[in-house]
Amino acid sequence: MKLLMIFCTEFTYTPTLKTLEDFKDETEERSFTEALVAFIHAEESDEADIKNTETKMVKNLKWAAKKNETRNVVLHSFAHLAETKANAEFTKELFDRVEARMKNADYECEQTAFGYFMDLDVKAPGVSQARIFKSF
């Protein structure tokens, strides 16, 4: 798992090119403010233990959100951080499980359009805790 977390004062995405046909069609632009945006690359090795991967991801997201004094989290599939990648169905299930756990812990948590390339507009402050990378 590679997890690049960026605290954004503003984050907007617009789905532009669907790359995975088996997932929901989405065209709507979405915007978030004061959110921790997690650029997530699930690796092939993560498929061996989804529960462990989920737990580590949730812990890291909560920690980074606390450091940035937010309860808003956005999960974004970003399969460009490692050599191998998990299959799309595993990754989507992982995202759904993490989103549910974050919401159960009183966080606002949403996902960007899964299976799309998209236009991104990122506004992030220049402070040290606004950018955190974890590999596990």
Side-chain angles (χ1 to χ4, degrees), residues 8-38:
C8 298
T9 53
E10 296 175 29
F11 176 76
T12 300
Y13 74 87
T14 306
T16 56
L17 176 64
K18 189 170 187 177
T19 59
L20 298 173
E21 291 303 319
D22 293 340
F23 295 93
K24 183 174 130 180
D25 289 337
E26 298 192 46
T27 58
E28 179 184 345
E29 177 180 287
R30 301 280 317 275
S31 294
F32 304 87
T33 58
E34 304 298 316
L36 180 72
V37 180

Side-chain angles (χ1 to χ4, degrees), residues 2 9 20 24 29 40 43 45 53 61 63 68 79 109 114 122 133 136:
K2 304 294 188 234
T9 53
L20 298 173
K24 183 174 130 180
E29 177 180 287
I40 303 161
E43 296 176 89
S45 61
T53 302
L61 292 170
W63 177 82
N68 286 284
C109 187
F114 192 84
V122 177
F133 177 76
F136 51 89

Side-chain angles (χ1 to χ4, degrees), residues 66-79:
K66 184 176 181 179
K67 285 284 185 192
N68 286 284
E69 299 177 358
T70 188
R71 296 197 69 80
N72 301 321
V73 177
V74 179
L75 308 177
H76 176 64
S77 179
F78 191 73

Side-chain angles (χ1 to χ4, degrees), residues 117-132:
F117 284 118
M118 54 194 76
D119 291 338
L120 301 177
D121 189 10
V122 177
K123 184 174 181 182
V127 295
S128 64
Q129 72 252 18
R131 293 157 185 85
I132 301 168

Side-chain angles (χ1 to χ4, degrees), residues 84-120:
T84 69
K85 60 183 171 184
N87 73 58
E89 291 75 18
F90 170 87
T91 303
K92 180 63 170 125
E93 180 182 351
L94 176 63
F95 278 40
D96 291 346
R97 291 170 63 142
V98 168
E99 179 182 5
R101 282 191 54 187
M102 295 297 289
K103 286 179 175 179
N104 285 339
D106 294 324
Y107 286 82
E108 296 292 325
C109 187
E110 298 192 41
Q111 300 177 41
T112 61
F114 192 84
Y116 281 85
F117 284 118
M118 54 194 76
D119 291 338
L120 301 177

